[in-house]
Amino acid sequence: MKKLLTIVRIILPVILLVFIITKIDFPRLIEVYSKSNKLLLVLAFISFPLSYALFSLRWKIVLNMFGYKSISYLRLLKTVYIGFFSGYFLPASVGIDIFRVVSLRKTKTTAVNIGLIFQEKLMGLLVCGFLIVCFSGLIKIEESSLYLQIRNVVYLILTLTLIILFVMLLFKKSKFVNRLMGMAEKRLSLLIKWFAMKFKKDVKLEDKFIRKVLHVSLLPKMILIVALFGLLNQFIGAVFSNVAFHAMGANIPLSYNLFANPLLNIIFLFPISFGGFGIREGSYILVFGLLGVTSEISLLVSFVFLISTLINVAIGGLILMFDKKLA
C-alpha cells in the first residue's frame, strides 16, 4: 500500500504538469510576467511570514491559557519555521505538527499541543467550508460539472467535520469514543516516537494522555480562539492572494479569493504529492479557471507563492542549522 501511494505521488504530479503544459501559452506567460507590477509582487511575499507569525501567536495564547507562560513567543516562532522546513515534504503539515510536540517535550505541554493541533485541523476545515459556502453564492462561477463535483465534496467534508465535532462534544465520556481514543493514542504515540528518532530526541508520553488531549481540544475557549485565528488567517491569505493577482493584471474582487483560497487549502490537505508540486499549479489553474482567470495568470501566481514558500522553508533550515538550542 505504501509503495502504491509513493508511485501515485510521483506519477500524478507528472500527469498534472503535462496537463499544465497543454494549457499554457508560453509567449503569453512571458508577456504577463513582463507587464506585472513588481512592487505588488514583493508585497505578496509578506503573506507567509505574517501567517507564521499569527500561527505562533495563537500557539502562545493557548499555552498561556494553560499556565505555560515561560515559553517565549520567539521560541515558538523559531519552532514553527524549523517545523515547516523539516516537514515540508510530508503531507497535510504533519511535519510541523509533530515537530511542535517533539520540540517542547520537556515542558510537559504534550497534551495541550496535540489538543491544539487537533482543533486546528477541525476548525480549519470548518472555517474553509464556511467561507466556500458563503462566497460561492456571492460570486460568478462557471456552472461546470467540475464545479458541481467540487461543491459536493466540500459539502461532504463540512458535514462530516460538523458530525465529528458534535459526536465528540456529546459523547466524549462514552465507551465508544474512549475506545476510539485508545486506538488513536497508539498510532499517535508511534508517529511521535518515530519522528523524534529522526531528530535523535527522546520523548516520553504519559499513559492515557489522549484523554487530556480530548479535554483540552474541546474546551469552548480553545475552540473560539482557534476559530477566530483561522478566520483571520484565511482573510489575510485571501488579501495577499488578491494582491498577487492584481500584480499580474487580473483585477478580480476579493470575494473570489475568499472563495478560492479556502478551497485550495482543503485540496492541499490531501497527501497527493511531495511538497505539493504539480498539485498546487494544477489546482490554481482549475479553481481560478472557474472564476474566469486565465491559466497563464493563475500559474504565475502559484509560482509566486511557491517561491515564497521555499524562501521561508529555507529560513527554517538556517534556523535549524545555527540555533543549537532548538536543533
Side-chain angles (χ1 to χ4, degrees):
M1 186 65 182
K2 286 183 178 179
K3 286 184 179 179
L4 179 61
L5 190 57
T6 302
I7 292 169
V8 169
R9 288 180 186 171
I10 294 170
I11 293 175
L12 192 56
V14 173
I15 294 171
L16 283 167
L17 287 171
V18 171
F19 161 76
I20 290 166
I21 290 170
T22 62
K23 282 274 185 181
I24 297 300
D25 179 346
F26 285 95
R28 171 65 181 154
L29 185 79
I30 295 167
E31 182 187 351
V32 169
Y33 176 72
S34 64
K35 291 181 178 179
S36 63
N37 186 322
K38 305 303 186 293
L39 178 60
L40 287 182
L41 284 180
V42 171
L43 285 176
F45 277 85
I46 300 171
S47 173
F48 281 93
L50 187 56
S51 176
Y52 295 171
L54 285 172
F55 192 97
S56 304
L57 179 60
R58 176 172 61 189
W59 193 6
K60 175 64 176 169
I61 290 171
V62 169
L63 289 176
N64 284 356
M65 190 172 79
F66 287 94
Y68 300 105
K69 297 182 180 180
S70 61
I71 303 170
S72 71
Y73 173 77
L74 182 59
R75 178 181 178 181
L76 298 178
L77 183 61
K78 287 179 179 179
T79 301
V80 167
Y81 265 98
I82 294 173
F84 275 110
F85 167 77
S86 61
Y88 180 64
F89 293 99
L90 292 175
S93 75
V94 169
I96 168 60
D97 295 334
I98 301 300
F99 186 80
R100 286 162 69 188
V101 175
V102 171
S103 65
L104 298 187
R105 67 196 182 284
K106 295 180 180 178
T107 61
K108 298 181 180 180
T109 59
T110 299
V112 173
N113 286 327
I114 296 174
L116 173 59
I117 289 164
F118 172 76
Q119 201 53 253
E120 284 171 353
K121 302 303 178 192
L122 209 58
M123 282 298 113
L125 286 171
L126 284 176
V127 166
C128 286
F130 170 75
L131 290 172
I132 292 166
V133 170
C134 286
F135 285 95
S136 63
L138 299 176
I139 60 179
K140 270 184 154 187
I141 305 176
E142 182 187 331
E143 289 283 343
S144 63
S145 58
L146 174 64
Y147 168 67
L148 294 175
Q149 289 171 7
I150 290 172
R151 187 181 65 184
N152 291 338
V153 170
V154 169
Y155 284 164
L156 177 62
I157 291 172
L158 189 57
T159 302
L160 289 175
T161 307
L162 284 169
I163 290 171
I164 290 169
L165 184 61
F166 176 75
V167 168
M168 295 192 76
L169 284 169
L170 198 61
F171 302 106
K172 60 183 177 181
K173 294 182 180 180
S174 72
K175 290 182 179 178
F176 175 69
V177 170
N178 283 329
R179 197 175 296 121
L180 284 178
M181 290 297 103
M183 292 167 61
E185 182 174 309
K186 288 179 183 177
R187 291 183 175 274
L188 194 56
S189 296
L190 289 172
L191 182 60
I192 290 171
K193 288 174 182 177
W194 173 83
F195 199 86
M197 284 174 60
K198 295 291 181 183
F199 282 87
K200 298 179 181 179
K201 307 291 185 183
D202 181 38
V203 177
K204 293 180 180 179
L205 299 171
E206 307 170 23
D207 288 335
K208 298 182 179 179
F209 73 90
I210 205 73
R211 295 175 189 274
K212 189 174 179 182
V213 168
L214 185 63
H215 169 72
V216 166
S217 64
L218 295 179
L219 287 173
K221 192 174 180 180
M222 167 79 91
I223 295 172
L224 181 62
I225 289 170
V226 174
L228 288 175
F229 268 89
L231 279 169
L232 179 60
N233 194 49
Q234 289 298 325
F235 178 77
I236 289 172
V239 168
F240 281 103
S241 179
N242 219 55
V243 168
F245 275 99
H246 277 256
M248 295 297 180
N251 297 317
I252 59 175
L254 179 61
S255 55
Y256 279 27
N257 275 291
L258 284 168
F259 164 80
N261 264 40
L263 179 55
L264 290 169
N265 286 334
I266 289 177
I267 293 171
F268 298 156
L269 281 175
F270 294 100
I272 302 171
S273 72
F274 295 103
F277 292 113
I279 302 300
R280 172 183 38 254
E281 293 77 22
S283 299
Y284 265 84
I285 289 171
L286 287 172
V287 171
F288 282 98
L290 294 173
L291 303 173
V293 180
T294 65
S295 299
E296 291 76 22
I297 289 177
S298 298
L299 182 61
L300 285 170
V301 171
S302 77
F303 284 163
V304 168
F305 290 113
L306 170 60
I307 294 167
S308 181
T309 300
L310 293 176
I311 288 171
N312 285 279
V313 166
I315 291 171
L318 290 172
I319 294 171
L320 178 62
M321 188 184 301
F322 293 108
D323 196 323
K324 301 302 180 184
K325 290 181 180 180
L326 287 173

